[in-house]
Amino acid sequence: MMFYPAEMHKITIGVHRRYAAPFLQTIHEEGIIELTPVTGDEHLLHLITPVERDAIRQKLAAAQSRAERAVESLVDLVEGGRGRIAEFFLPLRREPLPVRRQDPASVLGSVLDHDALISEILAFRIRRSAIHERIARLDEIEEHLTLYGCLGEELLPASPSRFITVRAGRIPEGECEDLNALFNEEGIESAIATSVCRCTEEGMIAIVVAHKSAADAVDTLLRSRGFAEFNFGDREGTVSDAKDDLIKEKRSLSLEDEEIVSRMCAIADEHLRQLAAVAEDLALARDRIDAAALAGSTRDLRLYSGWIRRRDLPLLERIGMESAGGTMIYRSVPGEDGNKDVPVAYNHPRWLSPFGFLTSTFAPPRYREVDPTFFIAPILVITFGVMLGDAGYGLLLALVAALLLAGPARYPGTTRDLSLVLFACGLSGIIFGIAQGGIFGDLLPRFFGIAPPFALVDPLLNPIIILTGALIFGIAHLNLGLGIASYSNLREGRVGEMLRKQGVWFLMQPCSAVLLFAFFGWAEFSQMFILAAGAGTAAAAALILFIEGPLGFFSITGFLGDWLSYTRILALALATAGIAMTVNILAEMIGSVHPSLVVVAVLFAIAGHLANFLLQSLGGFIHALRLQYVEFFGTFYEGGGRLFLPFATKRVDTVLVEDE
């Protein structure tokens, strides 16, 4: 059932030592077992010897590091020139390379076929880094030469003088002072400065000539003024000649860099897929060696321990027949209710799976606890759609989500799940936007005289309808949570707990509703019925105060506050429609001033609607999620489980091809 996490079994597996490697590789590919150290099973300690980590792991790790750095260098080069936006939304696709099963030694051996190429790429990487550092240094020297040129053309001697110390540099803006006057104030008589202040916005450029005996005092004073000495890289002669040399050296370095880039691009075109596949195979082989070290060994058996979903036991038996030569034996024990060591695996159908991360973000359910994801999914999407309430904004959100799914979110993971959730929210925004008559606010009737089709309720004209619906939905949502909590308590035989925690609210709510309807004249009841409702309300309140003490008062007000919190659905719907209409009004006013301002009005409308779209989409998602996490979860959900983390491959650059 999707309402509960999958049933988990603690499993101990034994296979003949001869088949340990192929068996481990198969369960790695299938990803059905969360492996745990077999030494954690006390009843096995006296029977087994821990498996030592294979010495080849060190070589695999070194080869993996080299291969991954080589792949990273090629990928950065290929994708770097496309621009960050294009790189993010439309990353380059690499078709996975078909590979066959290999043991770690064979994987390491296959690296040798590419070792020379990897060494060449890494050498290019180091050389390019050195070139870029050298060019950056030359740019700094060129800047120093330009600033120094404000004072003279002849450079300072590169070799030190026997009696004279010469300093040339820059003092930051704000510290510009008469250096010669400062020397006199400090009693430094054997020093003289030539300077130009505010030659550039960089501050003051100065040359200071001092006798060796005053060098330390001059340096101390200059440092106190933030003096940064120029470095010309041992160049002598004139500023112009030095700049010419710099330009020639930078041109030579740039040409060398272009040649390296050309060669690396050619390598990427021909070998990137193979190198990426090698790097991935190395990583997976290292993972298997690490996993093998969790096992224990007897004379003939290799023993593994871990957790598995009950529904995967038939697959495990088939793996034992096909990959362990029929030598596999296993013992499985169902996980115990309330045991925190039992991992939690979601039991979601495909349409619900993307919403699982929202539950995990709050806290995974405990084992055997109700999984709230089934309730989160439709309610989040519906409440978001009402809050956004604009078909134009919903369409934009769906397009953004589609772009993410075509680009950075195309691989399984949280980013893909979030993109799918946003796509569903965008579709909901379109549907409820049409029902609420919002298509970029009142754009259609204001500028085109077209009434929104299929509009049922306008939040600006009929807010009470949405408010009433929000409050009805809110009380139903809260009672759904109370119902789930009641069912869980009854299922576990805690009848008294159910009556104390949920039963009092089932008594108070209908009684209070009768009093409320009678007070506002929304319905007519007999006097006896009203008295009975009052007695029920008083009894429920007294029970809450008796059970919780004085703090029970805050439980009552808290429940009322949770219910009224659902009015945020109306508030967000009004905000979206109101701001969108304001943007349209202002754009209309700008365009009506003069025909030439129509373009400005259009640009203003685009910018205003884009800002409103971003603001309301973010606000709607956060507030829709808050109604789940705070109000709904507060009625029944505890969480605190540990997610199931199977030993599984995550192939991106390779696809496993089985032998015929």
Side-chain angles (χ1 to χ4, degrees):
M1 289 177 62
M2 72 182 79
F3 300 109
Y4 290 93
E7 182 180 343
M8 304 300 297
H9 281 223
K10 179 69 175 177
I11 192 165
T12 304
I13 305 170
V15 298
H16 194 278
R17 293 165 60 99
R18 183 190 309 169
Y19 298 101
F23 173 78
L24 186 65
Q25 184 165 15
T26 302
I27 64 171
H28 192 199
E29 296 293 342
E30 295 293 344
I32 60 174
I33 300 176
E34 178 182 313
L35 291 175
T36 57
V38 74
T39 53
D41 291 342
E42 296 181 359
H43 65 284
L44 294 176
L45 286 178
H46 66 288
L47 300 174
I48 63 170
T49 301
V51 174
E52 297 292 333
R53 184 176 278 114
D54 199 317
I56 200 175
R57 183 188 185 280
Q58 199 87 2
K59 297 179 180 178
L60 284 170
Q64 178 192 351
S65 176
R66 281 170 48 83
E68 287 179 348
R69 283 187 288 125
V71 171
E72 180 186 352
S73 300
L74 295 179
V75 170
D76 289 345
L77 190 66
V78 171
E79 294 188 348
R82 301 173 61 239
R84 292 188 177 182
I85 296 178
E87 181 182 341
F88 180 79
F89 282 104
L90 297 171
L92 295 176
R93 295 175 180 268
R94 289 199 302 270
E95 289 297 323
L97 195 71
V99 297
R100 298 191 180 278
R101 293 175 184 263
Q102 297 183 85
D103 58 37
S106 300
V107 173
L108 191 60
S110 67
V111 178
L112 297 177
D113 298 336
H114 301 86
D115 191 62
L117 189 62
I118 292 173
S119 297
E120 182 182 8
I121 295 169
L122 295 180
F124 283 150
R125 174 176 174 156
I126 293 171
R127 179 54 186 159
R128 287 198 73 208
S129 178
I131 288 173
H132 294 162
E133 289 179 7
R134 179 58 181 167
I135 290 176
R137 181 65 185 137
L138 293 176
D139 288 338
E140 182 183 351
I141 293 173
E142 186 176 11
E143 180 187 6
H144 289 176
L145 288 169
T146 300
L147 295 174
Y148 178 85
C150 298
L151 292 175
E153 177 66 16
E154 290 293 327
L155 294 175
L156 301 176
S159 56
S161 171
R162 182 177 178 184
F163 300 106
I164 299 298
T165 297
V166 183
R167 300 280 187 267
R170 175 174 52 195
I171 295 175
E173 187 178 13
E175 298 290 344
C176 299
E177 300 182 53
D178 187 339
L179 292 179
N180 290 309
L182 287 175
F183 293 154
N184 291 331
E185 291 177 8
E186 297 294 328
I188 304 174
E189 297 180 353
S190 53
I192 187 171
T194 301
S195 64
V196 55
C197 194
R198 300 183 185 279
C199 173
T200 68
E201 294 180 358
E202 299 295 331
M204 181 171 73
I205 314 303
I207 300 176
V208 179
V209 181
H211 192 270
K212 285 282 189 181
S213 60
D216 291 340
V218 168
D219 288 342
T220 300
L221 186 147
L222 291 176
R223 280 196 300 270
S224 70
R225 296 300 186 272
F227 181 79
E229 188 172 3
F230 291 152
N231 184 348
F232 303 133
D234 297 330
R235 285 175 169 76
E236 295 182 333
T238 66
V239 171
S240 299
D241 291 341
K243 282 187 174 182
D244 290 341
D245 290 341
L246 284 177
I247 292 172
K248 290 178 182 178
E249 185 176 356
K250 286 200 294 184
R251 185 180 298 117
S252 175
L253 291 171
S254 296
L255 289 173
E256 182 182 357
D257 187 56
E258 290 175 4
E259 292 175 359
I260 292 175
V261 168
S262 177
R263 170 59 181 155
M264 291 182 71
C265 286
I267 292 174
D269 289 340
E270 187 173 354
H271 300 287
L272 178 56
R273 285 180 65 205
Q274 291 87 345
L275 292 177
V278 166
E280 189 166 87
D281 266 345
L282 287 167
L284 296 177
R286 197 176 83 168
D287 288 345
R288 286 194 290 274
I289 288 178
D290 290 339
L294 299 175
S297 182
T298 67
R299 190 186 69 174
D300 296 316
L301 289 179
R302 187 65 55 87
L303 297 177
Y304 302 93
S305 177
W307 293 96
I308 188 171
R309 289 165 293 208
R310 186 180 67 86
R311 68 170 184 260
D312 289 329
L313 288 175
L315 175 58
L316 175 64
E317 294 174 358
R318 182 163 60 83
I319 291 172
M321 292 300 297
E322 296 177 356
S323 298
T327 65
M328 185 191 78
I329 57 175
Y330 75 90
R331 173 177 178 266
S332 69
V333 179
E336 297 178 2
D337 292 5
N339 186 349
K340 294 183 178 180
D341 292 332
V342 182
V344 172
Y346 291 122
N347 197 21
H348 297 156
R350 185 173 181 181
W351 66 268
L352 188 59
S353 294
F355 293 86
F357 86 97
L358 296 174
T359 301
S360 299
T361 299
F362 183 85
R366 292 175 290 108
Y367 186 59
R368 300 290 192 183
E369 183 182 17
V370 171
D371 176 5
T373 310
F374 175 80
F375 306 101
I376 286 181
I379 293 172
L380 173 74
V381 171
I382 291 171
T383 52
F384 175 87
V386 177
M387 290 179 184
L388 188 65
D390 191 288
Y393 296 164
L395 178 61
L396 287 178
L397 182 60
L399 289 175
V400 170
L403 284 174
L404 291 173
L405 289 169
R410 68 182 184 272
Y411 296 120
T414 302
T415 303
R416 181 175 179 79
D417 291 342
L418 176 60
S419 300
L420 289 169
V421 171
L422 291 178
F423 186 76
C425 288
L427 296 180
S428 177
I430 294 173
I431 294 170
F432 284 98
I434 293 173
Q436 293 169 215
I439 303 175
F440 295 108
D442 59 347
L443 182 73
L444 292 181
R446 181 173 298 276
F447 294 103
F448 302 100
I450 302 173
F454 310 110
L456 300 177
V457 56
D458 187 333
L460 295 175
L461 298 178
N462 301 292
I464 299 301
I465 296 177
I466 295 180
L467 176 62
T468 304
L471 291 175
I472 293 173
F473 169 78
I475 201 67
H477 197 210
L478 293 174
N479 277 281
L480 173 62
L482 291 172
I484 294 172
S486 299
Y487 174 77
S488 297
N489 283 328
L490 292 174
R491 182 170 175 261
E492 297 175 15
R494 299 195 297 259
V495 178
E497 181 84 358
M498 187 278 288
L499 293 175
R500 288 193 301 272
K501 294 293 184 65
Q502 292 88 41
V504 291
W505 295 108
F506 292 139
L507 173 62
M508 174 175 280
Q509 290 179 80
C511 293
S512 300
V514 170
L515 297 178
L516 187 66
F517 274 66
F519 179 80
F520 286 103
W522 296 337
E524 293 185 2
F525 303 99
S526 67
Q527 191 66 28
M528 185 62 69
F529 197 76
I530 294 174
L531 288 175
T537 302
L543 284 172
I544 292 172
L545 292 172
F546 176 76
I547 294 169
E548 301 185 23
L551 293 178
F553 173 78
F554 296 104
S555 293
I556 297 172
T557 58
F559 187 88
L560 179 62
D562 287 344
W563 180 40
L564 294 178
S565 183
Y566 286 82
T567 59
R568 70 184 66 242
I569 295 175
L570 170 64
L572 269 293
L574 288 174
T576 304
I579 295 175
M581 184 177 68
T582 302
V583 169
N584 290 335
I585 291 173
L586 293 175
E588 184 180 34
M589 292 172 61
I590 293 171
S592 64
V593 173
H594 193 276
S596 62
L597 293 178
V598 171
V599 175
V600 176
V602 171
L603 293 176
F604 174 82
I606 292 173
H609 282 299
L610 182 60
N612 193 34
F613 158 69
L614 295 173
L615 180 66
Q616 302 306 329
S617 296
L618 181 62
F621 193 81
I622 290 174
H623 285 284
L625 202 56
R626 183 193 184 280
L627 291 176
Q628 309 285 331
Y629 286 168
V630 179
E631 281 76 19
F632 183 55
F633 279 13
T635 59
F636 74 98
Y637 189 61
E638 294 183 18
R642 179 179 68 83
L643 286 177
F644 176 59
L645 299 174
F647 174 57
T649 60
K650 295 181 180 178
R651 294 187 180 274
V652 174
D653 294 302
T654 60
V655 58
L656 188 64
V657 178
E658 299 291 351
D659 294 328
E660 296 294 337

